[in-house]
Amino acid sequence: MSDSLLIPLPFSVLASSSGSVPAQCRVRRGVVPAALLLAAGLAPALGHAQILDDSTKVRYGAHTTFVLKERDLLREDTLGRMVDTTLTRLPQQRYWAHDTTFQQDLGNFGTASRRLLWEPNLKLGARPGRTVFDKYARNAADVPYYDTRSPYTFFRFHQGNPYEQIFELSYARSLKKHFNAGFAFERFGANKAVAVTNTKTGQVEHNNFLFFVRYDSPEGRYHAMANFSTARHRAAEQGGIIPRRLTPDPENQDDYDENGNIILSQLFDYQRETVRLVGAINRDDRDEVRLAHTYRLLGRGLTAFHIIDWSRQQNKYTDDKLTFDDGTSRYDKRLQNLAITDDRAEFRQLENTLGVMGNSRSVAYRLYGRQRTYSWRNQYRTGVVPLTEEVDAFPRETGTQLFVGGTAAFRYKQFAIETVGEIKPTADLTNLANTEYLLRGNARLGPLSGEILFSSYAPTLTEQRFSGNHYIWDHTAGSAAPFENTNVQQVRVRAAQQLGKHYLEAVGTVANIQNLIYYSARPDAFQVAGPQQLGTSRQLTTLMARYRLTWGKFVADNQATYTLGAGDDNPGLRIPTLVGESRVYYQGYLFKKALLGQAGVQAYFHSRWKAYDYSPSIQQFLVQDRFTVRNTPVADVFVSGDIGSLGVFLKMAYINQFLPQSGYFATPYYAALPRRFEFGIRWQFFN
């Protein structure tokens, strides 16, 4: 289920991933042919960006450039949101990628990652199950489209010396009233910090190109949004630091691993450490084309809509150095080839969604049916080097799935109720227990809201079956150990209120999870035992609290999440008991209000927990019981400023290194980056 279909929220103020803010005026639409867009080029836009007279400064700016998304189209919302010009998120690395949730990664930007806190799965049907690079990929259903009175150019560049670099450039323009087009190019990379003689040695490289268009018919009955994106992600896998075994010190037992023979604090020599893998590469290639369009049949009460989406995801893992110098294997198994690994998986799908919808001031609804045609292929290469023979690990899986669903919403004054439902019907009446469905309802009264969720979803395609050079399993129907659907029942209550200088928010969640599927590590070594399914249900309780104080020019923003039920005693789900983030800064104007500046400190903290281990060859995080990641806080000091359309920041990241130790682990035996200087700029041109 796409994000735009999942959450109707026709009466809520939505914030985009870029932090744009709602506008209070109607969006003006313009037109220009795509050929004129390319002919105009970026150089003239940049060349004339700063030659402004007083009338131009007043006429064009953030107040004349608006962002619209597919979810706005499906609510028939003609109000845009002004582009983000705030400073708050600019120096925060969590907002540098497309997924802004708290994440566990491998210690460097662009490496494999997973969401740290509990979130239920909301997608039904066939799914590839390769998600460790999702954080860096654009969501085609969430692409921003623009309505501009003048050409709009966005540019940002971040540099974390010498490890991280981010570059993004986007351009959009419209003429007349009906057509807007633009493009975006994004590139980021990361250099190795561990086991390398030169810190300019690349570890991650990501390139993404996006082209988007939006069209509104002159009479206002037909609206369309379309985008095409292609992304290429390449990550060198290091497999973690190889621990050095030393004689235990009885007087300092807290500095040793669970077996008492590895001094963890001495594994932060970074460049001088030794890693498990030296020739392994993971590639994640994605292509997607998406079109969403609507046609008004009978005013706002009856509108037809159609969404077509084609996507492709290919994952490839290669390693041409499977043994150490002494001839011992870097892997516990080599099933297909003793000299080289070349495992591949490819998922393709074509989705067609057709439905009707209606929107009024008090009532909104949407009904739809969706057809998904997909193919799944798992291959490995074998033979002598160079490998020339591609072998299908199992016959290519193809299928067609049907879904029906809808949304409904009602609002009266401060009361609102919203519902979402979707089901994947099955013709097998003897197996109704594995019917996939999603039902979610939300009620809101002023600052209070409550939500209930019931879902049942099938295992991913990778969880069901996999075969490669190092691991193999089969949990499909008819196998010796077939997996069943995972079921989730969840209740969430939220309260949020602004009280003068104070903003208070609290969210409580209770979830019951049945038949949870997870990947596990072997108890005697950091190797994969394969996917497992819990036969019993597990209860999870979370409480999130946020407090923000604005006192004159002083701002303190604190957030913490407490989780109960996902500790060491939970065999399939691990979450730190406490995860917190705090920002304290001073902001104000300088130079006769020509510069808005912020200066402060931000800190992140999580409690001790047995963090997930990571297996590069299958691109999955594993539940393990041998390594405890400690509760080292990480603090950054930053200064940021906004001069007209230019935003800049300077930051010293992990300033508390050596207090108390010289590093910390993001994942078992994956050291996070050391102290470093980071800077960045964000420049927006509105003409």
Side-chain angles (χ1 to χ4, degrees), residues 35 78 102 145 152 163-164 166-167 170 214 246 264 285 325 371 390 419 445 513 532 536 572 588 633 687:
T78 58
F102 290 108
Y145 300 86
Y152 170 64
Y163 306 109
E164 313 140 305
I166 300 174
F167 171 84
S170 64
R214 183 178 60 82
L246 303 173
L264 299 178
D285 297 341
D325 294 339
Q371 181 191 62
E390 291 186 356
T419 60
L445 179 61
I513 310 167
Q532 312 287 330
T536 59
N687 71 311

Side-chain angles (χ1 to χ4, degrees), residues 541-605:
T541 302
T542 65
L543 176 63
M544 190 281 290
R546 182 184 178 190
Y547 172 66
R548 176 184 172 91
L549 170 66
T550 304
W551 186 18
K553 298 180 180 180
F554 172 83
V555 179
D557 195 348
N558 303 281
Q559 176 181 326
T561 301
Y562 176 81
T563 302
L564 181 64
D568 299 351
D569 58 341
N570 190 323
L573 183 63
R574 300 291 168 80
I575 300 173
T577 302
L578 183 63
V579 176
E581 185 180 56
S582 179
R583 281 174 55 84
V584 179
Y585 59 92
Y586 178 89
Q587 65 178 7
Y589 285 99
L590 298 173
F591 308 116
K592 296 182 179 180
K593 295 190 175 182
L595 168 66
L596 173 64
Q598 292 182 353
V601 60
Q602 59 190 26
Y604 168 80
F605 171 86

Side-chain angles (χ1 to χ4, degrees), residues 247-556:
T247 303
D249 180 2
E251 298 181 357
N252 190 17
Q253 290 295 324
D254 190 56
D255 196 27
Y256 292 83
D257 72 345
E258 278 74 1
N259 295 326
N261 54 11
I262 298 173
I263 302 180
L264 299 178
S265 64
Q266 295 187 10
L267 299 183
F268 298 112
D269 288 333
Y270 293 99
Q271 293 178 240
R272 292 189 292 272
E273 298 292 350
T274 304
V275 293
R276 188 168 300 277
L277 302 177
V278 296
I281 301 292
N282 252 321
R283 293 177 174 86
D284 187 301
D285 297 341
R286 307 189 187 199
D287 303 291
E288 190 163 5
V289 181
R290 187 177 181 91
L291 166 66
H293 50 155
T294 66
Y295 186 80
R296 185 173 295 175
L297 300 173
L298 296 173
R300 294 178 61 89
L302 183 61
T303 299
F305 71 92
H306 174 236
I307 302 174
I308 183 170
D309 185 289
W310 176 88
S311 63
R312 164 189 171 270
Q313 178 181 346
Q314 183 187 62
N315 295 86
K316 180 179 178 182
Y317 179 76
T318 59
D319 191 349
D320 58 359
K321 295 180 175 58
L322 303 187
T323 59
F324 292 101
D325 294 339
D326 60 2
T328 59
S329 178
R330 299 179 187 269
Y331 299 85
D332 60 336
K333 302 176 186 176
R334 285 178 286 175
L335 303 176
Q336 316 297 342
N337 195 299
L338 297 178
I340 190 170
T341 295
D342 191 334
D343 294 344
R344 306 179 180 195
E346 185 180 62
F347 179 77
R348 295 172 181 254
Q349 75 169 20
L350 176 64
E351 284 192 343
N352 270 287
T353 304
L354 184 64
V356 294
M357 63 182 182
N359 294 274
S360 69
R361 294 180 61 88
S362 300
V363 178
Y365 73 91
R366 191 181 307 146
L367 301 173
Y368 63 88
R370 182 167 75 254
Q371 181 191 62
R372 175 187 299 162
T373 302
Y374 73 93
S375 68
W376 171 246
R377 192 174 189 182
N378 186 181
Q379 293 180 301
Y380 56 82
R381 281 188 158 191
T382 186
V384 297
V385 180
L387 304 183
T388 56
E389 183 181 356
E390 291 186 356
V391 178
D392 284 326
F394 43 78
R396 177 183 297 187
E397 180 178 339
T398 61
T400 299
Q401 298 177 330
L402 299 176
F403 306 84
V404 293
T407 67
F410 170 78
R411 179 184 182 182
Y412 179 73
K413 295 183 179 179
Q414 291 190 347
F415 174 75
I417 185 169
E418 302 155 350
T419 60
V420 178
E422 184 173 285
I423 187 171
K424 176 179 172 290
T426 177
D428 186 3
L429 300 180
T430 63
N431 194 25
L432 293 178
N434 279 334
T435 299
E436 297 185 62
Y437 61 86
L438 171 71
L439 177 63
R440 186 166 72 174
N442 181 280
R444 186 177 69 252
L445 179 61
L448 303 176
S449 64
E451 179 186 89
I452 58 173
L453 169 70
F454 300 94
S455 68
S456 177
Y457 53 89
T460 67
L461 297 170
T462 301
E463 290 170 344
Q464 294 181 52
R465 184 164 54 177
F466 174 82
S467 181
N469 195 28
H470 305 294
Y471 304 104
I472 183 172
W473 60 76
D474 187 358
H475 295 285
T476 57
S479 65
F483 283 157
E484 298 180 356
N485 281 9
T486 299
N487 301 311
V488 176
Q489 302 89 38
Q490 178 175 288
V491 177
R492 175 169 292 171
V493 179
R494 177 178 180 267
Q497 185 67 48
Q498 183 75 43
L499 300 173
K501 302 176 182 179
H502 311 275
Y503 173 78
L504 302 172
E505 181 182 6
V507 181
T509 304
V510 177
N512 183 64
I513 310 167
Q514 298 170 305
N515 300 326
L516 176 67
I517 298 175
Y518 64 98
Y519 291 86
S520 65
R522 295 184 177 179
D524 56 340
F526 286 111
Q527 301 294 344
V528 180
Q532 312 287 330
Q533 186 165 43
L534 291 179
T536 59
S537 62
R538 290 284 170 169
Q539 287 71 45
L540 193 69
T541 302
T542 65
L543 176 63
M544 190 281 290
R546 182 184 178 190
Y547 172 66
R548 176 184 172 91
L549 170 66
T550 304
W551 186 18
K553 298 180 180 180
F554 172 83
V555 179

Side-chain angles (χ1 to χ4, degrees), residues 6 14 38 94 122 169 171 174 230 255 275 310 358 448-449 482 517 575-576 596 652 674 677 684:
L6 181 63
L14 296 173
L38 298 177
R94 184 156 64 93
L122 301 176
L169 174 68
Y171 177 79
S174 56
T230 177
D255 196 27
V275 293
W310 176 88
L448 303 176
S449 64
I517 298 175
I575 300 173
L596 173 64
M652 184 61 71
F677 174 73
Q684 300 178 88

